[in-house]
Amino acid sequence: MELGDIPKYFAGKTILVTGATGFLGKVFVEKILRVQPNINKLYLLVRSSNTHLATQRLHFEVFKKDLFRLQRDEKGENFGTFISEKVVVVVGDVSLEMLGVKDAKMREDMLKEINIIVHSAATTRFDERFDIAMATNTMGAFNVLSFAKNCLKLEILLHVSTAYVYEQTKGLISEKPFFMGQTLKGSSTLDIELEKKLIENKLSELEAQKADEQTIDMVMKKFGIVRALNFLIDGYGKGIIRSFVGVPETVSDIIPVDMVVNSMIVAMVARSKNLCTNLIYNISSSLRNPINFSDFLDNTYCYFKKNPWINKNGKPVLIAKKMALFSTSMDEFDPNKGSKMESAIELFRPYTIFEGIFDDQNVENLRMVAKRAIDEGFDFDPRNINWKNYLMNVYIPGVMKYSMRSKM
């Protein structure tokens, strides 16, 4: 049986989205509102002190963005009315029980009405404090699950996570679930409550020492990391980073955000119709259409040769050569290294020398039953990506426009 007419499934549905102001969340919200304007309601959970400020945040961080330009143009003066009719702003926080929704009437309505929950809220800071990462990324998922269990009409709970929770795993990484307490090493167990207690003890210790906020930040940041290729593009384009840790043959698993959103939408519908019973899907490119680190850097070099970054003095930053890579010491490449760069190198090393390939057989099975949906605008097949075209005309220009705003 083939899956088609994806938008029809969402007609009349009530959806809760966490992380709606984030990179992935806002793309999901835009797609749903565009392909199925007849959804019943879209609850958007926003961390804020009150509804007014939460509404303003959504306005400036989501609906006013270029992402919604097509819908604003199509609906004209009715766009604001459409958003107010379909979107319900919910003040809350995934790190808290019952998602921190204090409005009792709002909470009651949500539990009675919600059919679908899409959980994409996470902290994505490059160098996050461990206590914040634990509260949002770990306990947040637990709190969403607990909330979902109380929803009377729930059909689907979809959780989005980075595939790099696998860290330094080598070889083919299968699409399999982790069980509570299971670790990557397999020989040890993870006690979340113990981890929380360790954080609480450390914070209490710092408080007793009358540590200032800067010291607390520094100590807690040593516990956790978040990484992104945007960091390299930004630094290289500005002439700051000339060399970095990495292996040319390392496969850089990149996937366009629109493909991720398409796969999320298709997976929910396929699951609801029992066309695919898998629970885990690796939305990745490393197996079907790999691009290695060296090719990524080649394209980055070509882009900045043609489109140099303009510094604060109005002068182009000329890039002389491709970024050099090293796998051990950077001394021979960059004698002007500093402690900040060394910290970034240690942060990135497990990912720029990554030896894993993400198996996506479950996703391939999903694509097989969703051929019609793919043809109808829900493509999520990485084999359709032309990497040179994507990097030169979409990805790097996007980083230039939205990430490289500060002048040197």
Side-chain angles (χ1 to χ4, degrees), residues 235 237-240 309-313 317 405-408:
K238 291 177 178 177
I240 300 171
W309 173 251
I310 307 301
N311 66 20
K312 64 181 180 181
N313 298 318
V317 176
R405 292 176 178 173
S406 58
K407 302 285 186 179
M408 287 176 55

Side-chain angles (χ1 to χ4, degrees), residues 2-109:
E2 191 171 311
L3 185 65
D5 198 7
I6 295 293
K8 184 178 179 180
Y9 169 74
F10 294 96
K13 301 291 186 184
T14 296
I15 307 171
L16 166 64
V17 181
T18 71
T21 59
F23 177 64
L24 178 65
K26 67 181 66 174
V27 176
F28 174 82
V29 168
E30 191 280 333
K31 182 92 177 188
I32 285 293
L33 289 174
R34 175 161 47 87
V35 302
Q36 185 45 276
N38 293 319
I39 61 168
N40 178 52
K41 195 178 296 182
L42 199 59
Y43 284 111
L44 302 184
L45 189 76
V46 181
R47 191 169 54 212
S48 183
S49 58
N50 59 63
T51 302
H52 175 70
L53 291 177
T55 302
Q56 282 193 320
R57 185 181 174 193
L58 279 175
H59 174 71
F60 288 107
E61 296 184 25
V62 180
F63 301 121
K64 201 175 180 180
K65 295 294 185 181
D66 287 347
L67 178 65
F68 278 83
R69 184 176 58 217
L70 178 62
Q71 292 197 54
R72 288 198 301 268
D73 291 344
E74 287 182 347
K75 294 179 173 60
E77 60 183 18
N78 295 321
F79 177 72
T81 301
F82 171 71
I83 293 300
S84 64
E85 289 176 348
K86 297 297 178 180
V87 173
V88 178
V89 181
V90 182
V91 175
D93 188 335
V94 296
S95 68
L96 304 175
E97 292 183 4
M98 294 304 290
L99 307 184
V101 181
K102 296 179 180 179
D103 185 324
K105 178 64 167 59
M106 173 79 76
R107 189 169 61 243
E108 182 182 353
D109 290 344

